[in-house]
Amino acid sequence: MGVLSSMPENVYYEVGGVSKENIVATKDVVDQYSTELLREEAQQKVLPIYYTDESIVQQIEEKILSVFSACEQVRQAAAGRYAGLYPEAGADLSGVDWESILKDGISDMMQLTPDYITAQNIYTIAAMSGQSLEKLREAVAEAVRTVLSEGLLADDVAEAVKTIRQQLVDSGDFSVGEVSLANNIVQNTLEANRFYNKEATEQAKKAAAESVEEVTYKKGQNIVREGEILSEAQYQLIKQLGLISSGSHAVARWASGALLMLALFAVG
């Protein structure tokens, strides 16, 4: 019996199981599992950090100005072509069949503009007055400036293009063709100016994690009470303290004890 009583007590714990005894800390200890959970939680609360590239706004505005300047060249070239064909016509170009007038010169007109400007856009430009073209340019520039001032992410560019188009439609100031021209220009010039700052975000997460106080237990402090259901955190702590027996260890110890008992009986 003396040999049996000297064997270490075999206690098996599992998460969700009911503790059959009070378990206390055998020494001062930092609860690594709970501390790490709190650090991860603190990191998850850190919002992504972004930065805005102000130079992009100027670049986009310059592109818009450039394409509208090209549109004005097209408008003047179209008006000159019409005047050459019909010198007796007045300054009023409303109602002109520009598709017919420009059918032999559309290629030359399109060379004046970026590749994304379509033939239909050319006909729309030809039908506009200098004042209406300038009004459209100002509306486009203002809408784009407003969007970029708030910071535009790459994932939001397509939606921003749709929003600007709808604003031009809702204003009632422009024809279907003019809105289509503006939409084409915005679609091909608007780009993101707000970007995810990975380095700053990671630094903020690190700082948040480091600000978390460690969860500590003093020697003799209660970890689990008798009858309490064992949580993952409690399980990990008593495992950290070396107070736990895994299932495989329990079986091994039971087998060792059984063999020892058999040997004793055999001797007896």
Side-chain angles (χ1 to χ4, degrees), residues 113-125:
T113 61
D115 293 341
Y116 58 80
I117 296 296
T118 66
Q120 193 58 53
N121 291 154
I122 296 293
Y123 303 141
T124 296
I125 294 167

Side-chain angles (χ1 to χ4, degrees), residues 129-144:
S129 66
Q131 184 177 3
S132 62
L133 187 62
E134 177 61 18
K135 183 177 180 180
L136 183 63
R137 185 197 68 77
E138 291 177 352
V140 167
E142 179 60 29
V144 167

Side-chain angles (χ1 to χ4, degrees), residues 12-234:
Y12 177 62
Y13 302 107
E14 63 180 350
V15 177
V18 177
S19 177
K20 296 180 180 180
E21 60 186 344
N22 291 327
I23 305 174
V24 299
T26 55
K27 60 181 178 180
D28 292 352
V29 63
V30 174
D31 184 343
Q32 297 173 352
Y33 179 83
S34 296
T35 300
E36 188 58 33
L37 281 182
L38 291 174
R39 285 172 176 165
E40 290 177 3
E41 183 180 349
Q43 288 181 324
Q44 290 172 0
K45 290 180 180 180
V46 174
L47 296 176
I49 297 174
Y50 297 89
Y51 69 93
T52 301
D53 188 338
E54 298 295 343
S55 67
I56 290 178
V57 178
Q58 183 178 351
Q59 292 171 13
I60 293 174
E61 288 181 344
E62 289 174 354
K63 287 180 181 179
I64 291 173
L65 179 61
S66 177
V67 70
F68 271 97
S69 294
C71 289
E72 174 60 18
Q73 291 181 46
V74 167
R75 191 192 70 80
Q76 292 182 14
R81 184 175 182 82
Y82 182 76
L85 292 172
Y86 303 99
E88 72 283 358
D92 184 9
L93 302 180
S94 60
V96 172
D97 181 3
W98 286 107
E99 188 168 353
S100 176
I101 295 297
L102 300 177
K103 64 181 180 180
D104 295 329
I106 190 66
S107 296
D108 293 337
M109 297 288 180
M110 294 182 72
Q111 288 180 7
L112 297 173
T113 61
D115 293 341
Y116 58 80
I117 296 296
T118 66
Q120 193 58 53
N121 291 154
I122 296 293
Y123 303 141
T124 296
I125 294 167
M128 297 176 73
S129 66
Q131 184 177 3
S132 62
L133 187 62
E134 177 61 18
K135 183 177 180 180
L136 183 63
R137 185 197 68 77
E138 291 177 352
V140 167
E142 179 60 29
V144 167
R145 194 178 299 114
T146 298
V147 166
L148 293 175
S149 68
E150 299 170 356
L152 184 62
L153 297 172
D155 290 344
D156 298 332
V157 172
E159 189 60 33
V161 172
K162 291 180 182 179
T163 298
I164 292 174
R165 182 185 185 283
Q166 193 58 49
Q167 289 174 350
L168 296 174
V169 171
D170 293 343
S171 72
D173 295 333
F174 307 103
S175 69
V176 173
E178 290 167 353
V179 170
S180 179
L181 169 64
N183 183 71
N184 201 2
I185 293 172
V186 172
Q187 195 171 35
N188 286 277
T189 56
L190 187 61
E191 59 183 282
N193 71 326
R194 190 168 183 240
F195 306 95
Y196 175 61
N197 192 329
K198 181 178 180 180
E199 183 178 353
T201 302
E202 291 301 323
Q203 288 178 349
K205 287 184 176 182
K206 182 180 179 182
E210 291 174 348
S211 69
V212 173
E213 286 190 27
E214 293 179 329
V215 178
T216 60
Y217 283 79
K218 294 293 185 180
K219 182 178 180 179
Q221 185 176 349
N222 188 72
I223 299 175
V224 186
R225 296 185 183 278
E226 181 181 354
E228 186 177 353
I229 295 176
L230 198 66
S231 69
E232 181 68 37
Q234 291 167 328

